[in-house]
Amino acid sequence: MKFKRLVKACAAVMLSASLMLSTPLTASAAGIQGIDVSKYQGGINWAAVAQSGITYTFIKVGSTNTGIDPYFAANVKGAQAAGIRTGVYIYSYATTVEAAIQEAQLVVQWIEGYNINFPVAFDIEDKTQKGLDANTCTAMANAFASVINQAGYTPILYTYTNFYKTHFTSALACDKWIAQYADHNDIAGWQIWQYSSGGAVPGVNGRVDMNVAVKDYTAFIPQVGLLDLGQGNVFFYNNFRKQYGWVDLAGVKYHTDPATGLVTTGWFADETGAYYFLPGAANAVTGLNTIDNGIYYFNEAAQLQTGWIDLGGNTFLFNPAENGKLYTGWWNDAEGVRYLDATDGHMVKGLNAIDKDVYYFNDKGFLQVGWVTLDKITYMFNPLDGGKLYKGWWNDATGVYYLDPTDAHRVTGLAAIDGAVYYFNEQGQMQVGIIKVNGLTYFFGADGKMQTGMQTIGDGIFYFGEDGAMVTGAFATKDGIYYAGKDGKLVFNQVVTLDKKPYLFGADGKLVVNQLVQIGDMYYQTDAAGIVIAQAPAK
């Protein structure tokens, strides 16, 4: 840097002594030691430099007058290979804000592809700039710093004490690297002090500029991850560069403000979708996440998903009306009615008990109402009561049915209900009238109840036993003995041959015992067994 040439003539004797020995570090220069180099140092043994305790260096990248420094690439690679933090500087010839911006853009172009991991310096000290006023120089430095900052690097101003005092104002918006070859530095608030131009460092041929830093830039320029400066000022770095906008690090997404670089946390949305960035860690979440008492789902690209989502063999609803919050409970839309489990939100299928009632949902999760057959058993899910499983008597246009009070299955066949017996066909419809069941004949009244005893049906009288089955042949009741033909009708005023013996059944259908009775134009005499023992025409 040219400042050292200004003091060369007046300090020749003193500097000649310093060439023989390493420049002693005074109490004022206590701090983190570094050097700055250019083509004037020639080839450098950076491993030896690192072993000497030097932890950082500024390497001249070039200038607009001479282009890239011929040793720039070799110096950067060598220093970084030795583990030395590497910043760069451009020797400025700018005299306007526009020219300073162009120099900054040129620096960004030149250092692209190198992992510059220390500040980028704007070296302003040339004689062409001495006539500039303080506001102009300050504006130039700030403009340069803005371009460097937007490129993700840390800007710093380099100049010497007297130039700083006359050419800069308190509006300077970047760190300061001040050259003052003394045992103190007059400029308050400097971050790096170039305290000597006559240093001797192993690995460097000849003298070299010596610097001390009171700011640990390794803590402020991380290789990768978050930099928290407090009070909400959090930034994200990758390859030692502050990131702006979207960052994808091994598939993990981060986002920072495109203008300020401040890390985004919490909810964020742009034209690509909605995202949630974890407070603290700042990464965009994926998968299922609990946020503010709600559960949300983000795909592999960290984008919030809404609507119906299949996960792990289950279907869930992330309610579009609630910013994608997991929905639980009843859901009704144009497609139908569904229910999302109150515990984990999965869409239920099959038979489900909900609030002490039972419902049925098909394999697509839709509530079913009316008659539903499951494993060859039929149930009624009441369409008049929200699809609840129904029990008891059911009457509709197709007939009368009974749903078992225990498990609600639709009853078929003979069934005892509330002290009466009913018969339901294979479709579960209650039957009335004369019905044959398993070879037996029964009679069910208009109310469906099984009838017993004497029953007048049509033009005949029939008798049904205590089990409800219709009786044929001779049978005894407490009132007497009767006879029913093969069709079940009782016979009246008729002789019936049983076991080759004639028996007489009278006008009331009962067996006539020890009587002489006229039936039509005949008289019949019966004995104590009701057998006809004599008969003759009536005169």
Side-chain angles (χ1 to χ4, degrees):
M1 297 183 180
K2 286 194 175 181
F3 170 67
K4 62 188 176 188
R5 300 174 193 170
L6 298 177
V7 299
K8 180 178 179 181
C10 64
V13 176
M14 293 176 63
L15 289 176
S16 63
S18 69
L19 290 175
M20 300 175 62
L21 299 170
S22 296
T23 301
L25 183 61
T26 66
S28 299
I32 306 169
Q33 295 295 302
I35 61 175
D36 57 88
V37 300
S38 67
K39 66 181 180 180
Y40 296 109
Q41 277 71 42
I44 296 173
N45 182 345
W46 286 102
V49 173
Q51 290 175 0
S52 74
I54 297 298
T55 60
Y56 65 90
T57 182
F58 283 92
I59 297 170
K60 183 177 182 180
V61 65
S63 72
T64 54
N65 281 8
T66 60
I68 297 179
D69 186 282
Y71 281 83
F72 167 69
N75 278 335
V76 171
K77 292 177 182 177
Q80 291 189 347
I84 296 174
R85 285 282 187 133
T86 52
V88 300
Y89 70 91
I90 182 172
Y91 187 86
S92 174
Y93 292 99
T95 56
T96 66
V97 169
E98 291 75 19
I101 290 173
Q102 290 174 357
E103 287 185 339
Q105 293 170 338
L106 188 60
V107 171
V108 171
Q109 177 184 332
W110 281 343
I111 65 177
E112 187 66 38
Y114 299 93
N115 287 330
I116 301 304
N117 53 20
F118 221 62
V120 174
F122 184 47
D123 180 355
I124 179 169
E125 57 177 309
D126 192 70
K127 62 183 180 180
T128 59
Q129 298 157 333
K130 286 186 176 181
L132 300 176
D133 62 80
N135 287 332
T136 299
C137 284
T138 302
M140 287 167 50
N142 287 344
F144 180 94
S146 178
V147 174
I148 297 303
N149 186 60
Q150 281 299 122
Y153 303 100
T154 300
I156 192 169
L157 169 71
Y158 170 87
T159 191
Y160 57 92
T161 300
N162 289 337
F163 195 95
Y164 181 84
K165 288 179 178 179
T166 58
H167 287 79
F168 290 94
T169 73
S170 59
L172 182 68
C174 65
D175 287 352
K176 297 186 288 288
W177 174 17
I178 303 297
Q180 183 172 346
Y181 302 157
D183 62 357
H184 65 281
N185 195 312
D186 292 337
I187 305 303
W190 58 268
Q191 282 74 38
I192 300 179
W193 170 21
Q194 187 184 87
Y195 64 88
S196 174
S197 63
V201 174
V204 180
N205 295 318
R207 64 183 188 176
V208 66
D209 294 338
M210 300 298 297
N211 302 278
V212 62
V214 292
K215 180 176 181 178
D216 182 6
Y217 283 100
T218 61
F220 289 89
I221 308 176
Q223 181 175 5
V224 64
L226 297 174
L227 173 63
D228 189 347
L229 299 180
Q231 297 183 337
N233 295 308
V234 183
F235 304 89
F236 189 84
Y237 280 73
N238 190 24
N239 291 327
F240 304 102
R241 291 175 69 174
K242 186 189 299 182
Q243 302 296 296
Y244 293 86
W246 283 104
V247 181
D248 190 320
L249 190 63
V252 179
K253 284 188 175 181
Y254 300 84
H255 184 269
T256 67
D257 186 278
T260 66
L262 288 172
V263 164
T264 302
T265 58
W267 287 103
F268 172 79
D270 64 9
E271 67 279 2
T272 66
Y275 305 82
Y276 185 80
F277 297 90
L278 278 178
N283 61 287
V285 300
T286 60
L288 289 169
N289 284 268
T290 300
I291 303 169
D292 299 331
N293 298 319
I295 298 176
Y296 301 82
Y297 178 70
F298 302 82
N299 65 12
E300 291 182 356
Q303 295 162 319
L304 176 70
Q305 303 296 288
T306 62
W308 296 99
I309 305 290
D310 290 329
L311 299 172
N314 284 308
T315 301
F316 300 84
L317 175 61
F318 296 91
N319 191 1
E322 291 187 278
N323 191 40
K325 185 178 179 180
L326 180 67
Y327 189 86
T328 60
W330 290 100
W331 178 264
N332 194 336
D333 59 20
E335 293 186 89
V337 178
R338 286 170 274 197
Y339 185 79
L340 292 308
D341 185 80
T343 302
D344 64 7
H346 77 273
M347 182 182 73
V348 302
K349 300 177 183 179
L351 288 169
N352 282 268
I354 302 170
D355 298 331
K356 298 182 180 180
D357 289 297
V358 177
Y359 302 82
Y360 178 72
F361 303 83
N362 67 11
D363 58 2
K364 293 184 178 179
F366 292 106
L367 177 71
Q368 302 298 288
V369 298
W371 295 110
V372 176
T373 300
L374 304 173
D375 296 328
K376 299 181 180 181
I377 299 174
T378 302
Y379 303 86
M380 166 56 70
F381 294 91
N382 191 355
L384 304 177
D385 194 19
K388 292 178 182 177
L389 182 65
Y390 189 83
K391 297 177 181 179
W393 290 101
W394 178 264
N395 194 334
D396 62 21
T398 65
V400 178
Y401 304 82
Y402 187 74
L403 292 307
D404 185 86
T406 302
D407 63 6
H409 76 273
R410 188 173 71 185
V411 172
T412 59
L414 291 170
I417 303 169
D418 298 331
V421 178
Y422 301 81
Y423 178 74
F424 303 87
N425 65 12
E426 292 181 354
Q427 288 73 46
Q429 295 161 320
M430 186 182 77
Q431 303 296 291
V432 298
I434 293 178
I435 304 294
K436 283 191 174 183
V437 181
N438 298 327
L440 299 175
T441 301
Y442 300 87
F443 177 63
F444 299 90
D447 60 358
K449 293 180 180 179
M450 177 187 285
Q451 303 298 304
T452 61
M454 295 294 181
Q455 301 292 329
T456 299
I457 304 171
D459 61 353
I461 297 176
F462 301 80
Y463 183 78
F464 298 88
E466 291 183 0
D467 63 356
M470 186 179 71
V471 176
T472 60
F475 61 92
T477 72
K478 63 181 180 178
D479 296 327
I481 297 174
Y482 300 84
Y483 181 81
K486 292 181 179 180
D487 60 0
K489 288 183 179 181
L490 268 62
V491 299
F492 299 92
N493 294 324
Q494 184 177 334
V495 175
V496 178
T497 301
L498 301 173
D499 296 330
K500 298 180 181 182
K501 296 176 182 179
Y503 292 85
L504 178 62
F505 295 88
D508 59 359
K510 295 179 181 179
L511 181 66
V512 178
V513 179
N514 290 327
Q515 292 185 50
L516 174 66
V517 297
Q518 180 180 354
I519 298 175
D521 57 358
M522 293 292 293
Y523 285 104
Y524 297 92
Q525 177 65 54
T526 63
D527 62 12
I531 299 171
V532 177
I533 55 176
Q535 62 183 47
K539 295 181 180 180

